[in-house]
Structure formats: structure tokens, C-alpha cells
Amino acid sequence: MIYVFLNLVMAVFFVGLAVYIDSQSKEDVTNPLVSMSVWMALATAFMAGTVWTNLNYLERMPLFFYRVSVICFAMYSVDFCLYCIHFPSYERKLPAKILRIAAGIFFTWVCFSKVEDLTITDFLGIRVDAVPLFSGRLTNYFPVTWADFLIGLSQYALPSLAVLIMILRAENKDDRLNMQKTIMSAIALVAFWFTSYAITKACDRVKMFSTLSLLPGGISLVILSYNSRQNFLYDIKYVVGGFITFTLCYLIPAVITGIFFPRLWPQFSKSPLIFFVQICLVILVCITISYQITKFLTKKQYFRSFQYAETLEESLSKMDYSGEPEEIVRSMQNILIHNLGLSEMHVLVESEGKLVSIFDQENQRHISVDTKNPALDALLSENRQIVLKSVIENSHTSENEKKNILKLFAETNSDAIILLTEGRRIIGALILGEKAGGNIYADYDFNTFTKFYSYFFVFGYYMKNIAHQSIVGTINREIRMSSQIIESIQENMDPVKNPHFDTGYIMEHAHNIGGEFVDLIRLTDKRHIFVLGDLSGKGISASMSMVIVKSIIRTYLEETRDFKLLVEKVNQFIRFNLPKGTFFEGIFGLIDFTDDTLYYINCGVPALFLYTRSYNNVIEIQGDGRVLGFVKDISRLIKVKKVKLNPGDIVVTCTDGLIDSKSLRGEIYGKERIQKSITEGTSFTASNLARSMYQTSLNFLSKGLDDDVSILVIKRLNK
């Protein structure tokens, strides 16, 4: 019964492996390792059925199950051969499909016409009676049966030939990664042979070990699956560390489980429940110990030589944008070169339809890439900002697309490219050269670049929209001491020109520049959007985030007219593209001039006031909303509210810098004083009312601002 259980465990494992490989596959074509896993799952399941039916004395059933099991394993062997011959491509052309069907027919014919009988006993193990391969005198010289021929063909001859072809094809290509994977595939085959030999020797003592004859195929499949997902070159340090990790975390726990299993097995006949509880407890303890050891070792540089995410994040978070642009570029280059060991790095900025490298060092070639390059267009269509040469080389995309992207890598002499984009518009790129030691960029690099993409985006946006001014000839010394450029971006808005409405605003920064802004955006003659917001942080860092968000709002409005969807997309952008911890509190409003209705979404604005002329009163109106940037999907947390504006009505919104300001005596300005200022200034124009409210707060404070203040006034005129 134990051998039935072990084969069923293997079957379940291979089903899980097939599901895992399929879920991890990003290709359009089916991964052949999935079909190989399915064949192994079927082979082990039917082997379990063979042993179980034999134990229950079901006539002819063991032979039937054994035949099907052998056919499934033989098909696994055929798929292994095709995998090696076509590597690294996953596509199977018509000749390969025909060959696969023919092999299946041949193996089925052999198993059902040449395999005559099957005997399974504790003293003999599995004994197969099959028709001799040769007849007459040749039988004396070659005492080989069809079963032996089938085993030799599927386990030795065909796999050896396939791996040899795979090695020869890899030798003719200058691709070290694929050569490494080829060697690992050969190792998988050798592991299969070695395990088969070990089981054969074990059968000399325990004959029933022959029922585990499919285990070697499973081991080779695991090696192939692991190998297919590796896209970095091994070095001696990594191999030694990997071997130690494998021994401590997997091999020793497996041996311990194997030692306990036969000792606990007698308990099964007395109480199966107690046996399963005990063996599960042993497995749980081994898994826990293995996990803790793995967790400990992955923190050690010797066992994870390419781990640099923590130090990279620390360096990126300390980037100083107050210096000259050239100094900032050098700082970014030094950070990446130090952490990744790059041979070279270029910073590209979009200028007049081209991506051009800036501040190239001596002896570095100047790089220029047309933004209409077909490779860039393909990457933008797939929304791919992180592009690794090793991934493209081993991807299964269209040949034309692959050719264009690899050509881009060749032209830029790079192994990795980080595209900095606003929607479908490229603002810049980071061109990364070969890594130290000739190693390639791996999944770890891709995940790290993706995780810290927001830092790269902020850097690129700064170089494109602020520092680039000095690149084209304007000296950028004012960035450290004034807000001229950022203020010009802040003031870039569309004034409301409807004769029935008057708008005014004021933005005052406590420390020259900050993250608060007001924006007015014309959609049509009948619709206008306004945004008042505050990005977390102070100084130039917050100002940069403000400029980026203001720009991205206008970019998204080119793609959608759905008011709520606009806010959802802005939330996702802040969450995934701005530095970690950045959030936005404010309000989005939409004025429909056709019926004088204001639609708004409160995103954490501290106050939204409405003065109604008919009641001569100021009330505070609030819509359900949440601060943007904290959650991935905010759609369920925000709602669109609306209010009808009648002649003489006034809408006022402001940031917390006005409400929470404190006087010298520590008294808070508060909402009541704001409401009073609105009531007293109903006859003012919108701009004068905003200025009056601000001046009133200054008179109350009797000192300078402690925080940024922004006020937006929208007034429905009488005529």
C-alpha cells in the first residue's frame, strides 16, 4: 500500500507543477514543460493503479494500467526530446506534431501487442513478460524483448540524441545563457540515469522499489522546470551557496522525513489516522526548519550575491535634487554602477522627438534614439517600462518584434533599458550596460527595477521638465533658491470664460515651493474641471511630485472623459509611480455649465464650503472620499456628489494650511472664521475674495505662514 501512496503523491505533485508552470508562463504558446508534467502525472497515477489493482487481485487490470503508464512515460520522453531539439523555442511546427502522434501510436502498439503479461510480488517486484525483439538465431545473440527495447529507446537512445543536438545548436550561437541552460538540461538527463541506477541497486534489497521506477523522470523534470526560469549566469560563488542551501534546506529535511517514514509505517495498520498525524507533524517540523534556514541564508551575501535592493532603495531615497543637473545625473549613475557593477550607464531625455543622452563622460559615445523607433512603439503598446535583453532573447514574441528590440539594444550597446513614460509618451530612459563579470540581468533585477520605478520616474521627470532647461542653454542656479520654473508650471491652467461664472484662487507657499496646487482644465465650452490638491512632503521633492501629478491628470483626460475613472487612474499613478509614501489630499470638481451643476469627488480635502444667496448662509458640504495613494483600488471608496449652483452662490475650498494655522497665542484659525470671511466678502470678485480670505488669516496669525495655503473660489454670477 505504501507504494500506491508514494506514486499518488508524485502524481499530485506533477499536477501542481503543471499548474504552477502554466501560471508562471508569460508566453502566447503552451509551455512544453506543462505537457511533460501532465504526462508524468498520468504515468505515476496509472502506476499507482497498477499496484493497487494487483493488491486487490483484479485480473488483467494491473497489466492494463501498467501499459498505459508506460505509454504516458514514453510520451513524456518524446516531449523531452522535442523540448531539447527546439530549445529555446516553444513552438511546435507540423512535422514535430506529426512525429509526436506517430510516436504515440507506435508506443501504444508495442505496449498492447508486445507486452503480454505482468507479475508483481514482494519477492520479484515488477516482472514484465514481453515478446522477444528478434526471432530465430538472433534471439541467442540479442536476448532483448520489446519491453527492453522500449525502455532503451525512451530512456537512453532518444534523450541522448536530443541533448546532443541541443548542445550542437547552442555551440553555434553566441548566447551564454542558453548554453548554460543546455548544460543544465544535460545534467537533468544524467540525473535521470543516476537515479535510475540507484533505484536498480535498491531493488536488489527491496524488489518493490521497482514500482518507483518513474521517480527519475520526475527528478529530471524538476531540474528542467527550475532551469527554464533561471535567466542569470551562475558563478562559483552562487553554485557553492546554492549547493549548501539545497543540502541544508531540502536534502537533509527530505532524508529526515525518509528516515521517519518506515519507522512510523507499522502504525498505519493499527490506526491510519495516527500515522497520518505523526507523518504530517514530521513534515511540518522539517518544512518549518527548512523555511527558517532559507530565510537566514538569503540574507547572507555569500548565498545571494546579487541581492542589492535594500542598499539601492536607501541610496535612491537620499537623492539630492538641489544641485546642478550634471551633479544629479552623476549621482544616479554612481548609485546604479555601485549597486549593479555596471560597465556604463546613460541618461536619455526626450528632446524634439528624440531621446538624447545628456552629460556623457569622456570617451563615452553619444546616444540618440528616435521616439518613433518601432521597438519603442512595440514596448509602449505592451506597457513595458523595464526591458531586459536576456528576457527578449529568450521570449517567444514575434520574430519581427524581437528583431527590432534586439536591434535597439545593439544600437545603444546596453543589456537593460528603463523607459520613463507618461501614458504613451516617453520622457526619458536609463540605458544600462553590461554587468560586472559579464553576468546578465535576471528576474531579481527586473523585480527590483519595477519596485523602485517611481524613483527612476521622478528622476527622469526632473531631468526632462526642470533640469533640461540648463541642458539647452539656460543656467539652472535658480532651482536651489527660487520657484520660477515650478510657478510657471503651476500657473499653466485654463481660465473659466463662461459669462455666468467667476473663478479666483491663491497659492502661497510657506517655504517658497511646495506640493500644493490649483488647476483649471477646459474640457469643452460647456464643461470645466478644477483640481485643488496637496501632495505630501515639502520643498522641491513635493513640488516635483506636484508637477508630475498635474501633468498626468491632463494626460489621462486625453484618454478618458469618465470623471470617476479619472480619479481612480490618478490614484493608481500616485500609488505605483511616485516615491513610496506619497499621498494626495484634495478635491476634483467638474462644472457643467448647461445646468449649472457642480460634480465633485472629495479626496481628503479638509473643507468644501457653499454660500447660498437665498439663505445668506455658508454651509460645509462633504462628499465621501479618501486620500489618494494609499490603496491600489479606490473605486469602492469614492463617490461622485453634485450640487446645483444658483445665481449668487459661491463655492470655496481650501487646504489645511488655512484651517489649521495657529496664531502666536496658539489659537487655531478654524472653519468658523473662514465661513465668516466668505459671508463678509460675497460682493467681491472671486479673486478678491480669495485674496481677502488669505489676508484675514495673516492678520489673525500676526506672523508668517507655517504651512502652504491654497484657496479656490467659484462664484455663480447674478447675470
Side-chain angles (χ1 to χ4, degrees):
M1 193 66 181
I2 180 62
Y3 301 103
V4 177
F5 175 76
L6 292 176
N7 277 284
L8 286 177
V9 169
M10 285 193 289
V12 172
F13 171 79
F14 291 126
V15 170
L17 183 63
V19 173
Y20 174 75
I21 295 173
D22 188 55
S23 65
Q24 295 296 311
S25 180
K26 300 177 181 178
E27 314 299 339
D28 295 331
V29 295
T30 303
N31 192 324
L33 293 172
V34 175
S35 62
M36 293 165 65
S37 299
V38 172
W39 284 125
M40 282 302 302
L42 292 173
T44 49
F46 278 104
M47 180 60 75
T50 302
V51 180
W52 184 81
T53 53
N54 183 76
L55 290 174
N56 290 273
Y57 305 102
L58 299 176
E59 294 184 4
R60 307 301 297 175
M61 289 300 293
L63 178 59
F64 172 79
F65 278 108
Y66 179 77
R67 286 169 170 169
V68 177
S69 177
V70 171
I71 293 171
C72 291
F73 181 78
M75 292 305 299
Y76 159 78
S77 179
V78 171
D79 279 353
F80 172 84
C81 295
L82 293 176
Y83 172 82
C84 294
I85 293 172
H86 289 91
F87 182 83
S89 175
Y90 286 174
E91 293 185 9
R92 298 292 178 263
K93 296 183 179 179
L94 185 59
K97 294 179 180 179
I98 294 175
L99 179 62
R100 191 167 181 262
I101 294 173
I105 295 173
F106 172 74
F107 291 134
T108 302
W109 172 76
V110 171
C111 288
F112 279 91
S113 66
K114 302 300 181 180
V115 177
E116 297 178 331
D117 199 7
L118 179 72
T119 304
I120 304 177
T121 66
D122 293 337
F123 302 103
L124 297 175
I126 294 181
R127 179 174 178 177
V128 180
D129 294 326
V131 175
L133 182 62
F134 301 102
S135 59
R137 293 182 180 180
L138 287 176
T139 306
N140 298 326
Y141 299 103
F142 303 102
V144 179
T145 66
W146 276 95
D148 298 329
F149 170 74
L150 190 60
I151 292 173
L153 188 67
S154 61
Q155 296 186 8
Y156 299 97
L158 291 180
S160 300
L161 179 61
V163 169
L164 179 61
I165 294 174
M166 187 181 188
I167 293 174
L168 293 175
R169 292 179 73 244
E171 282 287 351
N172 295 326
K173 294 182 179 180
D174 186 19
D175 190 336
R176 291 182 298 160
L177 178 62
N178 282 337
M179 189 62 202
Q180 176 180 279
K181 290 187 175 184
T182 298
I183 294 172
M184 288 299 297
S185 298
I187 291 174
L189 181 59
V190 172
F192 171 84
W193 292 340
F194 177 81
T195 312
S196 296
Y197 176 78
I199 290 179
T200 301
K201 287 298 181 182
C203 289
D204 294 340
R205 293 194 173 188
V206 182
K207 297 297 183 180
M208 285 299 289
F209 275 178
S210 58
T211 60
L212 302 178
S213 59
L214 298 176
L215 177 62
I219 292 176
S220 66
L221 179 58
V222 170
I223 295 175
L224 287 176
S225 302
Y226 175 79
N227 180 49
S228 68
R229 298 184 63 248
Q230 301 307 307
N231 60 354
F232 62 92
L233 297 174
Y234 298 131
D235 54 28
I236 297 299
K237 187 176 180 181
Y238 179 84
V239 171
V240 173
F243 177 76
I244 296 174
T245 302
F246 173 77
T247 302
L248 294 178
C249 301
Y250 303 102
L251 186 59
I252 293 178
V255 170
I256 293 174
T257 305
I259 292 173
F260 272 93
F261 195 94
R263 285 170 169 75
L264 297 175
W265 179 247
Q267 185 66 42
F268 182 82
S269 59
K270 299 176 183 178
S271 175
L273 178 61
I274 295 178
F275 165 76
F276 282 114
V277 170
Q278 290 175 336
I279 196 63
C280 287
L281 184 62
V282 171
I283 295 173
L284 180 62
V285 171
C286 289
I287 291 176
T288 303
I289 295 174
S290 174
Y291 172 76
Q292 293 299 328
I293 294 175
T294 304
K295 187 177 179 181
F296 172 77
L297 291 179
T298 51
K299 296 179 181 179
K300 302 301 179 182
Q301 189 73 10
Y302 182 81
F303 298 95
R304 195 67 180 271
S305 58
F306 51 80
Q307 191 175 38
Y308 57 84
E310 186 175 342
T311 56
L312 177 63
E313 181 179 23
E314 182 180 358
S315 301
L316 290 174
S317 64
K318 294 179 179 179
M319 279 280 293
D320 182 12
Y321 289 94
S322 61
E324 295 291 339
E326 185 172 1
E327 296 174 1
I328 299 171
V329 171
R330 294 285 178 266
S331 178
M332 177 60 76
Q333 289 176 330
N334 291 335
I335 288 173
L336 291 177
I337 290 174
H338 172 73
N339 283 278
L340 280 77
L342 303 180
S343 57
E344 63 176 341
M345 172 195 163
H346 295 269
V347 176
L348 274 58
V349 172
E350 190 276 330
S351 177
E352 298 180 353
K354 290 185 177 294
L355 291 175
V356 294
S357 56
I358 57 175
F359 302 123
D360 294 316
Q361 298 178 353
E362 277 189 52
N363 302 322
Q364 271 191 326
R365 66 191 186 103
H366 184 74
I367 297 177
S368 177
V369 181
D370 195 324
T371 54
K372 296 181 180 179
N373 187 298
L376 295 179
D377 186 62
L379 294 171
L380 289 174
S381 299
E382 298 176 8
N383 194 29
R384 297 172 66 174
Q385 285 91 17
I386 313 297
V387 195
L388 308 183
K389 182 180 179 182
S390 59
V391 173
I392 298 300
E393 287 176 336
N394 294 281
S395 67
H396 303 279
T397 55
S398 65
E399 288 300 322
N400 187 48
E401 181 178 319
K402 180 188 290 189
K403 180 180 178 181
N404 289 332
I405 298 176
L406 290 178
K407 183 180 178 181
L408 176 63
F409 278 112
E411 291 173 349
T412 56
N413 192 30
S414 61
D415 278 8
I417 299 175
I418 302 176
L419 296 177
L420 310 174
T421 63
E422 281 183 310
R424 281 188 54 83
R425 185 170 72 92
I426 299 179
I427 63 172
L430 302 181
I431 304 297
L432 309 183
E434 188 178 55
K435 294 175 71 173
N439 215 326
I440 61 176
Y441 291 86
D443 288 340
Y444 182 83
D445 301 293
F446 180 86
N447 295 333
T448 302
F449 294 158
T450 302
K451 181 179 180 181
F452 303 138
Y453 180 79
S454 58
Y455 291 102
F456 301 133
F457 181 84
V458 169
F459 167 77
Y461 200 96
Y462 177 84
M463 300 309 299
K464 171 67 176 69
N465 294 284
I466 300 176
H468 188 54
Q469 300 298 323
S470 66
I471 297 171
V472 296
T474 303
I475 298 176
N476 198 23
R477 296 191 182 94
E478 294 87 0
I479 287 295
R480 296 193 301 268
M481 63 191 75
S482 74
S483 58
Q484 292 179 7
I485 295 177
I486 292 178
E487 283 184 351
S488 67
I489 296 173
Q490 285 179 324
E491 297 293 337
N492 181 24
M493 58 183 74
D494 308 323
V496 176
K497 297 181 179 180
N498 190 284
H500 298 290
F501 282 83
D502 181 24
T503 58
Y505 60 88
I506 186 172
M507 291 180 289
E508 295 292 339
H509 300 291
H511 305 288
N512 217 7
I513 51 178
E516 293 192 2
F517 72 97
V518 174
D519 200 6
L520 299 170
I521 307 169
R522 177 186 178 276
L523 297 181
T524 66
D525 291 338
K526 302 297 183 182
R527 306 179 84 194
H528 218 95
I529 277 184
F530 71 83
V531 184
L532 177 140
D534 182 9
L535 271 297
S536 58
K538 301 292 181 183
I540 193 169
S541 176
S543 297
M544 289 168 56
S545 296
M546 175 274 295
V547 171
I548 294 170
V549 170
K550 184 172 180 178
S551 174
I552 206 66
I553 290 172
R554 291 175 176 265
T555 300
Y556 286 153
L557 281 172
E558 295 177 2
E559 304 171 0
T560 179
R561 286 293 186 267
D562 188 311
F563 185 47
K564 184 179 179 183
L565 181 60
L566 169 68
V567 179
E568 293 173 12
K569 295 180 72 170
V570 172
N571 172 75
Q572 291 180 339
F573 180 86
I574 295 172
R575 178 85 165 96
F576 296 109
N577 292 282
L578 292 185
K580 185 170 59 177
T582 302
F583 62 88
F584 168 96
E585 55 182 9
I587 187 170
F588 286 75
L590 170 66
I591 307 175
D592 190 339
F593 299 131
T594 57
D595 56 3
D596 296 339
T597 300
L598 169 65
Y599 300 89
Y600 62 94
I601 297 177
N602 177 17
C603 300
V605 69
L608 178 63
F609 301 102
L610 173 65
Y611 168 80
T612 55
R613 182 181 180 185
S614 57
Y615 294 100
N616 192 30
N617 187 31
V618 178
I619 60 174
E620 185 178 354
I621 56 175
Q622 291 288 348
D624 295 335
R626 295 292 187 276
V627 172
L628 305 186
F630 278 125
V631 297
K632 295 180 181 179
D633 184 6
I634 203 169
S635 59
R636 295 177 296 176
L637 303 177
I638 58 175
K639 294 181 180 179
V640 179
K641 297 287 186 176
K642 69 176 182 177
V643 60
K644 176 74 173 178
L645 299 179
N646 298 307
D649 290 354
I650 303 174
V651 175
V652 177
T653 184
C654 61
T655 56
D656 55 5
L658 179 64
I659 299 173
D660 298 334
S661 297
K662 292 184 179 180
S663 67
L664 291 174
R665 293 176 296 181
E667 188 177 358
I668 297 178
Y669 188 67
K671 296 180 180 179
E672 292 79 8
R673 291 184 174 86
I674 295 176
Q675 291 172 310
K676 183 179 179 182
S677 297
I678 297 172
T679 304
E680 293 175 349
T682 55
S683 60
F684 298 162
T685 64
S687 295
N688 288 340
L689 178 56
R691 175 61 59 181
S692 173
M693 293 173 61
Y694 174 68
Q695 189 60 48
T696 302
S697 68
L698 288 182
N699 295 337
F700 170 80
L701 298 176
S702 301
K703 61 184 180 68
L705 292 173
D706 295 323
D707 198 0
D708 300 341
V709 172
S710 296
I711 304 171
L712 173 65
V713 178
I714 301 173
K715 189 173 183 181
R716 173 66 168 88
L717 302 177
N718 293 328
K719 296 182 181 180

